[in-house]
Each structure stands twice: as C-alpha cells, then as structure tokens.
Amino acid sequence: MESYNRRGSGAISPAAMEHYRSNSPSGSERRKLSYHPTGEWEPPITTYEEPTGTSEVSKAKRILQVGVAVIYCLLAAGIVFGYAAIKPVLVEEGVYRNKCTQQELDEGVWVCYEQELRLNLMFTVAAVSTNVAALPIGTVLDRYGPRIASIVGTFFLTLGALFFAFAEDVPFDAYIPAYLFLALGGPFVFISSFQLSNTFPQHSGLILALLTGAFDTSSAVFLMYRLIYQRTNGWFTPKKFFLIYLIVPVFILAVQLFVMPAQSYKTAGELVNVPESPAPAEPAFTNDHLAEPATSETTTLLNAKPADKPQPAQQPQTPQTNPIWGALHGKPALEQILTPWFLLIALFTAIQMTRINYFVATIRTQYTFLLHSPTLATRINSFFDVALPLGGVAAVPLIGALLDHTSTTFVLGLLVTIATTIGVLGVIPDSMGAAYANVVLFVLYRPLYYTAVSDYSAKVFGFETFGKVYGLIICGAGLFNFVQQGLDALTHRGFGGDPVPVNLGLGGVALGVGVGLVGFVGRRSWGVGREVEGASGAVGEVEDGHRTNGRA
C-alpha cells in the first residue's frame, strides 16, 4: 500500500485525488477485475432511455446539422445587434420623431435628443432581454431539449416580425416589443445549438467559433436591408422587409422537426456517468480511470466485446493539456455558482457585455464628438456596419485554433489585453486611424469574447448544468446592461456628449476584474496540473506493482 499512497517521497494531496476521481468513471461504471488479457467487461443493463452519442448518428447527418445550425444562426441569432445598421432606416421613417421639440425640428437635426434616447432604449431593452432570457432558455434546454427550445424561439421571431411589420398601424408603441421579441427568439435558437459542439468533440472549439461567428454575422441582415432600402429610395419599407422575414422562423421550424436532434448530444463523460441499475458492489482496480475522455468512439468503449480493444480517440483538450477541463464537472449547479470559477467570469462578462453594447448603440454619437465632424462619424459608422458581420466570419479560424490548441488562461489573458487596447483607442480624439483601428479590433474581439465565455463554461462546468450556469452568467450580464441607459444620459447631460469619462471608467473596471480572473485561473491551472500529473504517476506505480504481482 505504500506504493499506492506515495510517489517518490511526496504524498498525494486529497485535492489531486478528488480531481483525478471526478474525471473518471466510478463504482459499477468501471470494469470488473479480470485476468483476461483483453480486459473482459460486461456492460451494465440499463432501464432508462440512452442519451444521444455521436456514434449513433452518421457523420454526414452531423455535418448537415452543424451546417444548418450555422445558417439559421446567421439569419436569426443576433440580428438585433445590427441596430447600428437599421437605426438610420428608423430615423428616415420618422420613428419617434414626435419626441422632438419644435426647435429641434426647425433646426432640421438628423436625430433629436429624446428620439435618440428612445431608439437607444429600444436597443437596450432588447440587449438586456437577450441576455436575461439565457437563464430560462437554459432551463428549457436542460429540461425539454434543443428542439423544443428552438421551436419556442421561432414563435418569438414570428411575433417580432409581425409587430415590426404592423407597428405603424397599431395605436400603441409596437417598436419596443417588436425588437424585444426578435431579441428573445435569437438566443433560443442560438444557445440550443451549442450542444452541436459535441458532434465532433475533436473540433468543438471550431464548431463553437462557427456558431458564434454566425451569431455576429447575423447583424448583416439589417445591414443588407438598409442597403436595399437606400437603393430603392425608401420603397422597400420595414413592413415589406419583415413580412418577407417570416420565411426565417418557418425554415427553422422545418429543420427542427426533420433534421436537428430532439435531445442534446452528450459528452463522453456524461454518457459514462448516466444513472445505472443498482448492481452489487465489486472491488475493482484497473487503469480505466486513466483513459482520456472518449470522443467518436463512445459506443465502442461502452459496448466493447471481450475481444475488442478500444483505440484511444484524439481529443486536443484533456485534463492533462488544459488543467481547467472538468474542474467542476458532475457537481450540482448551486455548488458551481458559489465558486470563484463562476463569480469571476460572471462579473467579467457583465462589464465587457455592457462595454460592447454601449459602443454598438452609441458609435455614431461618440465619434461625432471625438472627431468633431458628423460627416467623419458617419463614415466610421458605415465602416462599422460592414466590419461587424465580416469580423464574425474572419475571426472563426483564429478563434477555433485558439480554443482548441491553447490554454484557457492564455485565451482569457488575450481577451483582457485586447479589451484594454480597445479602451485606449476609443478615447483618442481627432484621429481617423485610431477610430478605424478601434473598430477593427472591436469586431474581432466581440466573437472571440462570446465564444471564449461559452467555451470556458463548457470546460469548467460541463454540459450537464451548462444551460443553467451559462444562462445565469448571461442573465446577470443582461441585468447589469440596464446601466447602459444611465451611462447614455450621463454622457449627454453630465459630460456634454463627451464619451471619454464613461469609456475610461468602464475600461478601468474591466481591466481590474480581468486581471483578477486571469490570475485565479492561471494559479488554479498550474496547481491542478501538477496535482493531476502527480496522481497519474502514483497510479502508474500501483499498476506496475499489480502487473508484477500478477506475473509472480
């Protein structure tokens, strides 16, 4: 027993063994002790519905499912974030023009103060609702599966399109609820697609990057509409556009019923840890717990015949290559959200999301002040409208490579560095170069940020509680986004339209929280990595001893 408890002269810490056990099957999930040279294993008899594993669905169908998800996310997931593109159309259509004073109307201002606040409020409500809805969406997803969640999303998208189409014909303000419904429909179909990263676990980062890239690029829907609107001199009205847009929820409904999975794909760990029928406890000690998480070979591992010899599947991200992987897998959601792993990423997300949405809503007014020219500000706004969706596409391969082949600590550090750089560029006055550089960095940073948060959540918390935990992160960030309306009023009334004080304040807070998050994750990654390495080496010595005893 001495060789089991010690490796060299160092004792194994309880934390090491806990991490080691949490990433391995336990109890009756392990193979029975056998001296058969191929490791005979009788699979347990189950009395529940088998969860979906990738081996049960053909490769071609999984590719089709990922492709279809990218298409409908491109058309619906985040269209409300194309607000900067559709805002000029709404201004030209005279939306909320009745809020202007007679003096402002006489002066012929492009958009008056109260009109600006009301339009920005429409976007703020939508942005907040998009994020707050993540929590109930996660609950629906966990309980009823991605198909039902996506169908709910099509219902909201349909309502949003109809409200927008007939906003001028109803006796109440339909624009805010219309944008709200579009904002609710998007995340229902978007978050429900995250589980598709399990279709090809070796490329989970790339799949998440594709989906997030589609989310970002969906802002181009309103950009394309604005271009058509301007080309037709206003003939292609919002009513005509949104009636045609009803095709999108119909398409999503059809593919959900006939193509997409009814239940989420499971990771190998979740397939191994599903409930089993009660079985007599049998002492066992094998090297199964050292096996890396299976990917496309899940069925082979779970149903191997005595003569089968499962081959290890390639998976770039494992507890050995990325120590935070599985840090809280298998733990209850409540226990997970009480840890610094959750609290720090939630706070970081809230601040960064507020900065992102504040910039999207106010880019034109910010640069009107910074560049002292409405004409130059319009040029920056037009460049931003095109760059925002293109950035989502251009960033996909980079994001996939970063998430699949670098540590989470590195990715988080990169996020903090880029965010700080954006903050500096965003307060430089009278510089078109700084303005263009700021936009370029912003449109590349945004998809990286959103993907990194979902990737962090999956790796740390696992998909068993992903809906609730990730939903709570985004929900909290959404509620925090209500400060955006106050920041808007503070900029106009407190600082005379100068965005620099607000941008500096948000940037400073984001830097402090970001450094704390990177420091915590980096420290824990280093410590867990050493402990897992020590535990693996200790168990290796035990196995050597067992093999020696067996030969004796």
Side-chain angles (χ1 to χ4, degrees):
M1 290 299 295
E2 183 176 350
S3 62
Y4 178 77
N5 290 319
R6 297 183 180 274
R7 181 183 180 223
S9 60
I12 306 171
S13 71
M17 295 308 297
E18 174 62 24
H19 182 91
Y20 159 82
R21 292 190 186 102
S22 66
N23 288 282
S24 66
S26 60
S28 60
E29 293 164 357
R30 295 181 182 144
R31 296 183 183 180
K32 299 176 182 179
L33 180 61
S34 172
Y35 292 100
H36 193 288
T38 60
E40 182 177 2
W41 182 25
E42 295 294 335
I45 299 174
T46 59
T47 58
Y48 57 92
E49 182 180 354
E50 288 281 350
T52 304
T54 56
S55 308
E56 303 169 10
V57 182
S58 69
K59 182 178 180 180
K61 185 170 184 178
R62 283 180 279 145
I63 292 175
L64 175 63
Q65 289 171 341
V66 173
V68 167
V70 170
I71 292 172
Y72 65 63
C73 284
L74 182 64
L75 295 173
I79 59 171
V80 294
F81 294 99
Y83 170 76
I86 200 173
K87 183 178 179 180
V89 175
L90 299 178
V91 172
E92 290 295 326
E93 289 291 309
V95 176
Y96 297 131
R97 194 68 174 175
N98 60 323
K99 301 292 182 181
C100 299
T101 65
Q102 188 60 46
Q103 180 181 353
E104 290 171 322
L105 293 174
D106 293 339
E107 292 174 354
V109 295
W110 179 70
V111 57
C112 67
Y113 173 68
E114 289 295 336
Q115 183 185 20
E116 169 90 358
L117 287 183
R118 191 72 175 180
L119 288 169
N120 288 349
L121 175 63
M122 181 181 75
F123 173 72
T124 299
V125 169
V128 169
S129 301
T130 297
N131 301 318
V132 171
L135 183 57
I137 290 170
T139 302
V140 172
L141 178 60
D142 290 344
R143 180 169 298 181
Y144 300 107
R147 176 176 294 170
I148 297 299
S150 296
I151 291 175
V152 173
T154 64
F155 171 74
F156 283 121
L157 289 172
T158 301
L159 281 181
L162 289 174
F163 268 62
F164 240 118
F166 297 102
E168 292 184 347
D169 304 324
V170 296
F172 59 89
D173 180 4
Y175 289 103
I176 290 179
Y179 220 64
L180 169 63
F181 287 135
L182 291 176
L184 292 175
F188 264 103
V189 298
F190 177 56
I191 296 177
S192 299
S193 66
F194 284 175
Q195 49 87 25
L196 293 174
S197 65
N198 287 331
T199 55
F200 299 95
Q202 307 96 318
H203 306 291
S204 61
L206 177 60
I207 294 172
L208 282 175
L210 284 169
L211 294 171
T212 306
F215 171 87
D216 288 307
T217 310
S218 63
S219 62
V221 172
F222 284 161
L223 171 62
M224 297 304 297
Y225 166 59
R226 192 196 72 191
L227 294 176
I228 297 173
Y229 176 87
Q230 293 172 338
R231 186 65 62 89
T232 60
N233 295 318
W235 175 84
F236 194 48
T237 61
K239 182 174 185 177
K240 295 175 181 177
F241 168 74
F242 282 104
L243 287 177
I244 294 175
Y245 184 78
L246 288 170
I247 296 173
V248 173
V250 172
F251 166 72
I252 297 174
L253 177 63
V255 297
Q256 287 297 329
L257 294 177
F258 300 109
V259 177
M260 306 304 288
Q263 298 298 323
S264 298
Y265 286 105
K266 304 294 183 181
T267 63
E270 289 167 334
L271 285 170
V272 170
N273 287 310
V274 292
E276 295 184 3
S277 300
E282 299 190 26
F285 188 84
T286 71
N287 63 348
D288 291 347
H289 53 291
L290 288 178
E292 294 183 356
T295 54
S296 61
E297 303 298 326
T298 302
T299 300
T300 303
L301 288 172
L302 294 179
N303 300 288
K305 296 178 181 179
D308 290 342
K309 184 177 181 180
Q311 299 298 319
Q314 179 186 2
Q315 180 154 329
Q317 296 286 358
T318 68
Q320 285 71 38
T321 60
N322 192 342
I324 79 157
W325 190 94
L328 298 176
H329 284 198
K331 296 184 181 298
L334 180 60
E335 184 176 342
Q336 291 177 341
I337 65 177
L338 293 177
T339 65
W341 292 102
F342 173 86
L343 298 175
L344 286 171
I345 193 66
L347 186 56
F348 181 73
T349 302
I351 296 169
Q352 294 295 72
M353 192 175 292
T354 300
R355 295 181 68 196
I356 289 172
N357 291 335
Y358 179 67
F359 185 76
V360 170
T362 62
I363 179 173
R364 185 162 177 168
T365 54
Q366 283 197 44
Y367 277 108
T368 297
F369 185 93
L370 290 173
L371 299 176
H372 302 98
S373 169
T375 302
L376 294 180
T378 301
R379 287 170 56 185
I380 295 298
N381 196 157
S382 298
F383 175 70
F384 175 78
D385 292 340
V386 176
L388 185 61
L390 290 181
V393 176
V396 167
L398 173 62
I399 295 171
L402 282 172
L403 297 184
D404 284 338
H405 302 291
T406 65
S407 70
T408 302
T409 304
F410 176 83
V411 172
L412 293 175
L414 183 63
L415 285 178
V416 175
T417 301
I418 297 176
T420 303
T421 305
I422 290 172
V424 172
L425 292 173
V427 298
I428 299 177
D430 300 313
S431 174
M432 288 293 287
Y436 281 119
N438 190 27
V439 169
V440 170
L441 268 184
F442 179 89
V443 300
L444 294 175
Y445 171 81
R446 184 170 174 261
L448 173 61
Y449 156 76
Y450 280 115
T451 312
V453 172
S454 59
D455 180 73
Y456 172 99
S457 300
K459 288 174 179 173
V460 173
F461 306 115
F463 276 100
E464 186 178 352
T465 58
F466 181 84
K468 296 182 182 68
V469 176
Y470 178 76
L472 188 58
I473 292 173
I474 301 302
C475 176
L479 290 174
F480 188 78
N481 266 243
F482 269 123
V483 305
Q484 181 182 325
Q485 195 71 7
L487 295 175
D488 205 6
L490 180 63
T491 299
H492 283 281
R493 295 176 178 174
F495 301 115
D498 184 359
V500 172
V502 170
N503 286 337
L504 286 177
L506 288 174
V509 174
L511 177 61
V513 175
V515 170
L517 174 64
V518 174
F520 171 79
V521 173
R523 185 172 65 253
R524 293 298 297 268
S525 297
W526 181 80
V528 170
R530 286 176 59 87
E531 291 179 346
V532 170
E533 180 184 358
S536 299
V539 173
E541 292 184 6
V542 178
E543 290 168 351
D544 290 340
H546 274 276
R547 283 193 289 270
T548 301
N549 294 335
R551 287 194 296 268

